Amino acid sequence: MGEQITLGEVQETLLIPLYGRAQDAQSRSSMLGDRKAVELVDAIDYDFTKFRGPSLVGAVLRASIFDQYVREFLDAHPDGTVVDLGCGLSTRFDRLDNGRVRWFDLDVDDTMALRRKFFTDSERYTMIAGSLFDDDWHDQVRERGGPVFLLTEAVLLYFPEDQVHETLRRWSTVFPDTLIAFDTGGHLMMNSQDRNPVFKAVPARMEWICDDPTTLQDFGLQLIESRTFAQPQPSVAQRWSAKYRYGMRLFGWAPPVTTYKLNLFRTKPVVSA
Ligand SMILES: C[S@@+](CC[C@H](N)C(=O)[O-])C[C@H]1O[C@@H](n2cnc3c(N)ncnc32)[C@H](O)[C@@H]1O
């Protein structure tokens, strides 16, 4: 029998990108080649087949765009620190490990308990059980010194606007002059959730609507790049199968795809007196 799981509502959504990556790994023109995702899907006792529709491949496209943001950070700072907040069962560390990065994966207790069944800490890789909304993890990350990259993929969307804004404001103070990557969804995307086949299969719903990521400058975040699936980095597009490379260029301009944005911000530097 497979691994039994009991996850909270938002936590259960981690199984959607996991299944998307597993399906991608089994296709002839795999974009991420995430074989570990196939192992995990096989090992977990869950009816993954109930997940259908474009969000599965969307999770793969999204992961590849965020991978590239992290890759570029590591090219500039090979000894830097990366923190994946709400990592789920992501295998990003395995994909991007350059042999020098210090990596933290954080997720809430039930998800982390599941993750620990399949992943282990190592000298440069540490899993933290906790909430991204709490401050407990800040010192652990800051103690290391040096440049930090914060990433939170498909997590903030599930929380109320006030809570997200307050957290972004705190991060921009605690981590000045730091790169932060996360996704935002506009009205058209958020209002079509009930028609999305993956959301027919889980009770969780996304809450935070952000039509324009530049408005997050009010919380100390300067927008550096904002991409939709129609605008991947050229090096990322090269790794996409032709179906998505050309398909997204042609059809990715239609809402609600255009209202889903994969953003890279930098927090304000400390202003010396
Ligand atoms: C849609 S999944 C995304 C998982 C992963 N980032 C990925 O893309 O594969 C949402 C994730 O948010 C995590 N999560 C929910 N509440 C959280 C919190 N307060 N702090 C950190 N992570 C949280 C869940 O456990 C889950 O792993």
Side-chain angles (χ1 to χ4, degrees):
M1 199 159 68
E3 189 66 52
Q4 304 288 306
I5 53 169
T6 328
L7 293 173
E9 288 190 2
V10 176
Q11 291 85 310
E12 185 182 1
T13 62
L14 73 87
L15 302 169
I16 302 167
L18 175 69
Y19 188 52
R21 296 195 310 276
Q23 287 209 313
D24 168 65
Q26 288 167 306
S27 87
R28 270 194 307 149
S29 47
S30 173
M31 297 180 271
L32 287 180
D34 190 348
R35 297 300 310 173
K36 175 108 179 176
V38 181
E39 270 175 48
L40 297 179
V41 164
D42 287 345
I44 293 172
D45 184 15
Y46 187 84
D47 177 17
F48 286 93
T49 60
K50 67 183 184 176
F51 296 138
R52 290 163 208 276
S55 290
L56 293 175
V57 75
V60 175
L61 305 181
R62 175 182 80 209
S64 66
I65 290 175
F66 279 131
D67 276 5
Q68 186 60 21
Y69 288 152
V70 179
R71 223 178 255 122
E72 285 167 14
F73 167 77
L74 290 178
D75 285 348
H77 308 285
D79 299 302
T81 300
V82 176
V83 191
D84 193 340
L85 299 156
C87 56
L89 289 174
S90 165
T91 55
R92 178 164 282 118
F93 172 66
D94 301 326
R95 288 200 295 277
L96 303 184
D97 183 17
N98 62 358
R100 290 163 64 177
V101 60
R102 184 74 176 83
W103 195 288
F104 294 94
D105 269 346
L106 174 142
D107 210 308
V108 286
D109 291 357
D110 50 353
T111 297
M112 206 31 100
L114 175 64
R115 186 174 178 90
R116 284 190 184 283
K117 298 198 166 137
F118 302 106
F119 296 82
T120 44
D121 285 344
S122 62
E123 200 192 337
R124 292 179 297 100
Y125 175 72
T126 306
M127 289 177 279
I128 305 175
S131 169
L132 57 73
F133 297 111
D134 293 341
D135 296 346
D136 315 29
W137 54 275
H138 295 174
D139 285 346
Q140 202 172 344
V141 170
R142 287 196 310 174
E143 264 162 22
R144 184 156 189 264
V148 172
F149 188 103
L150 301 180
L151 165 73
T152 180
E153 176 182 7
V155 184
L156 296 177
L157 300 168
Y158 288 94
F159 293 92
E161 180 177 79
D162 287 354
Q163 192 177 8
V164 173
H165 286 173
E166 211 272 301
T167 302
L168 295 178
R169 197 193 297 280
R170 219 167 47 250
W171 289 352
S172 68
T173 312
V174 176
F175 298 100
D177 203 12
T178 294
L179 291 171
I180 305 189
F182 57 87
D183 40 354
T184 48
H187 270 93
L188 284 169
M189 174 182 127
M190 302 303 264
N191 294 341
S192 61
Q193 287 181 77
D194 289 340
R195 293 195 295 279
N196 182 334
V198 293
F199 284 110
K200 292 197 167 123
V202 291
R205 288 293 177 272
M206 298 180 283
E207 283 194 49
W208 175 42
I209 300 175
C210 175
D211 284 308
D212 178 4
T214 62
T215 58
L216 299 176
Q217 67 184 0
D218 296 350
F219 309 101
L221 299 181
Q222 185 205 344
L223 186 65
I224 295 180
E225 278 183 62
S226 184
R227 298 181 179 276
T228 67
F229 289 150
Q231 305 156 298
Q233 301 91 334
S235 59
V236 168
Q238 271 173 17
R239 287 191 291 270
W240 284 6
S241 58
K243 182 172 166 192
Y244 299 108
R245 187 162 65 242
Y246 300 114
M248 283 300 166
R249 221 181 274 169
L250 285 175
F251 303 111
W253 297 98
V257 180
T258 45
T259 71
Y260 181 51
K261 297 195 170 133
L262 308 147
N263 312 293
L264 179 66
F265 301 88
R266 185 180 285 283
T267 58
K268 283 193 193 131
V270 178
V271 183
S272 43

